[in-house]
Amino acid sequence: NAGVTQTPKFRVLKTGQSMTLLCAQDMNHEYMYWYRQDPGMGLRLIHYSVGEGTTAKGEVPDGYNVSRLKKQNFLLGLESAAPSQTSVYFCASSHWTSESTDTQYFGPGTRLTVL
Amino acid sequence: QQQVKQSPQSLIVQKGGISIINCAYENTAFDYFPWYQQFPGKGPALLIAIRPDVSEKKEGRFTISFNKSAKQFSLHIMDSQPGDSATYFCAASDTNSGYALNFGKGTSLLVTP
């Protein structure tokens, strides 16, 4: 049981390049999330998904796209990377119940630098 | 716009002392209030959480105090240890945005020997 895994762990991009970050969870969770963490800012929600085939925008979605074709995977794409997207990206997942949500489990993060 | 405000930004406590971190929120729709602990280079991990139907929850040395009328909640770490040195985040969520967490900016805790 690996929990939440993220690929890659580190990446350096040049301005304008594109890339995809992969998040995978083996807990059969319905909900998945992408956050970014910047110094002194806490974590901010980029996009989220409440189930396979569904996605929605969070607080800071500009410049990112997501897809959830399989329940266990949540992909985050950067179409044309900008230096402002230099950050640490965290994926999280949680189980849903009829009354509320459960614990969000976080992956180890992807450290992205855009030059 | 930060929906959860956290203080202090940093905290230094001697071993054996009590660490206290405070958070405040405005959105009365929030119904889940977790605290996460993060070590350098790692993802956040749930420490303890509370729902607004109780005013206090204790797990070992960690206690959440919740004041619904004041819209405030706090984390108390009793008998603080050097191994508790980490960044702590409070958060809040509701049914909107798929129960996504709204995080405070974090508190860097250093427990000195």
Side-chain angles (χ1 to χ4, degrees):
Chain A
N1 190 339
V4 180
T5 58
Q6 293 183 233
T7 308
K9 289 183 170 52
F10 303 93
R11 186 72 184 268
V12 178
L13 289 178
K14 294 181 180 179
T15 297
Q17 288 184 319
S18 63
M19 77 163 294
T20 300
L21 283 68
L22 171 64
C23 175
Q25 52 92 6
D26 61 2
M27 298 174 280
N28 201 34
H29 284 167
E30 295 81 7
Y31 286 19
M32 296 187 74
Y33 311 86
W34 277 107
Y35 297 90
R36 61 177 287 173
Q37 183 175 29
D38 302 293
M41 294 294 293
L43 286 85
R44 293 180 292 169
L45 181 69
I46 305 171
H47 285 278
Y48 66 98
S49 168
V50 299
E52 184 179 325
T54 69
T55 63
K57 294 180 180 180
E59 178 186 357
V60 288
D62 293 342
Y64 305 95
N65 58 73
V66 289
S67 64
R68 190 157 178 213
L69 300 179
K70 295 182 179 180
K71 185 177 184 179
Q72 63 268 32
N73 295 337
F74 196 26
L75 279 63
L76 177 70
L78 282 72
E79 302 155 340
S80 178
S84 61
Q85 294 178 304
T86 293
S87 188
V88 181
Y89 292 85
F90 287 101
C91 176
S93 71
S94 67
H95 178 58
W96 175 87
T97 70
S98 60
E99 296 177 348
S100 66
T101 188
D102 204 345
T103 303
Q104 280 193 29
Y105 294 89
F106 283 78
T110 293
R111 185 173 295 274
L112 175 66
T113 300
V114 182
L115 303 176
Chain B
Q1 187 176 359
Q2 205 85 21
Q3 295 201 54
V4 179
K5 296 184 178 179
Q6 182 173 347
S7 63
Q9 184 174 347
S10 62
L11 184 61
I12 300 175
V13 174
Q14 282 193 331
K15 179 181 176 180
I18 303 173
S19 303
I20 302 174
I21 305 171
N22 300 300
C23 285
Y25 65 96
E26 287 297 326
N27 186 347
T28 55
F30 287 151
D31 62 359
Y32 177 66
F33 302 88
W35 285 88
Y36 278 80
Q37 180 188 56
Q38 185 180 32
F39 293 103
K42 304 293 185 181
L46 180 69
L47 189 63
I48 187 172
I50 198 168
R51 298 194 187 275
D53 52 344
V54 296
S55 60
E56 186 175 282
K57 184 174 181 179
K58 183 176 181 179
E59 291 184 358
R61 296 185 294 110
F62 302 93
T63 299
I64 298 179
S65 296
F66 184 80
N67 186 329
K68 188 174 181 178
S69 61
K71 291 184 286 187
Q72 296 175 345
F73 59 110
S74 60
L75 175 69
H76 292 65
I77 305 175
M78 311 300 288
D79 187 26
S80 298
Q81 300 296 311
D84 296 331
S85 297
T87 300
Y88 293 80
F89 293 95
C90 61
S93 72
D94 63 10
T95 57
N96 295 321
S97 299
Y99 292 102
L101 294 171
N102 297 274
F103 283 90
K105 292 187 176 182
T107 296
S108 179
L109 172 64
L110 176 64
V111 181
T112 60

